[in-house]
Amino acid sequence: MASLKRVTHKNGRVVYRIVICLGYDGQGNKLVKNLTYSVNQSATPRQQEREALKYAMDMEDKLKYGSVTDCRKLSFEEFARQWLENVRNNLTYGTYVGYEQLLRKGILPYFKAYRIANVRTADVEAFYRTLADEYSAGTIKRYANVLNCIFSTARRWSLIESNPCQGAIKPKGKQEKRELRYFTPAQALTFLKSLDGLPTQYRIFYMLSIFCGFRKGEVLALKWEDIDFERQEISITKSIGKTEAGFDYKEPKNEASVRRTPFPDSILPLLEEYRREYDLLKERMGDRWQGRDNLFIRRDGGLMGHSAVYQHFVKHLRRYNGWVAEHPEEARKAGLELLPVIPLHGLRHSCATLLNHLDVSIVDISKYLGHANCSTTMNIYAHSFEAQKRAAGNKLNDFLHMNLQT
């Protein structure tokens, strides 16, 4: 998709700089077309943006498909590959890789012999049925989303008369039992007790995950400048994730993910202690120091590996549970019990469950976790919020009984 930038000259004249991606050459270099479009100067900014966007879309169509005189001869594969390169700039690298895999593994092998204009709704449904025995409903939905985007673009560019995905019925797919794994509030307290004796940076990592609900990539991306010791807040402005250069800094998951989150008083002394340890290590390392002010580090100060904290988390839970099993009496006296072995992301789920237990509203939980909207929070945690809903129902029932008695 073309990118637009609004430019206002010194004399007040407004133009839009347009960059259209035409794909990539044999060496992987991006091919672009740069255009400048002067909009109606008397229109409102919103009208000007729409005008420029329409021009950009029309020019994109002409540049990419102006040579196609008969759309009926355009193959599905040719268009699908062009579509993927076209949307590449608007996707995170991980999403792009996911789309490419869905195309390569399932969509292109099935539709390889089709012309883009000859695919019908029945063909789409037949494709969905080939997925039903092997994949879950969620995976089928991902295939359907990509296929729908391809045909929606073809329809918008007037290459086809209608989108065959519209109205296509998807099969249920394999039954997939998905259960969130997390610590209950009581288990979360037990987990915190189990952290005594661990390296300071790991203790902080787990506490930020369970108290602040940060995603793993958000915690790994933290730098000291993101910690406001005075206001006891942490700024989330970036993440660590899969990029073309490997695992590296990238934009947060969505706009709502950029946030300032307060942290509990109990973490402050630990952060201050870790800062002293950090500065001392940096001084000792001297020229061997590879750090760039990142909070979570390897021994040389470089950014902690993406899987290191997960491996440490799993080993810690196994060691802890092993000790509890071997020393039941000591564990009982210390108020310790076996913990479920949950995924690292389960600490974020534990945070949401804890906030719900403390009667924090869904709206505030959603903002705290950096979800794009409240429906995302409800969709993920509907099951774990059942007790809260039952409590609300009981309160309503009591209210009615008290006020409707005759």
Side-chain angles (χ1 to χ4, degrees), residues 314-330:
V314 172
K315 288 179 181 178
H316 169 68
L317 283 180
R318 287 175 178 168
R319 282 197 301 264
Y320 167 79
N321 281 337
W323 183 88
V324 171
E326 292 174 8
H327 306 83
E329 190 60 26
E330 290 181 54

Side-chain angles (χ1 to χ4, degrees), residues 99-129:
Y99 282 7
E100 191 277 331
Q101 289 176 344
L102 292 174
L103 277 173
R104 175 168 42 83
K105 290 173 60 178
I107 295 175
L108 291 183
Y110 187 88
F111 291 101
K112 194 176 184 70
Y114 284 80
R115 304 290 185 187
I116 188 70
N118 293 342
V119 180
R120 299 291 180 262
T121 300
D123 302 318
V124 173
E125 291 183 345
F127 168 64
Y128 292 160
R129 288 195 293 271

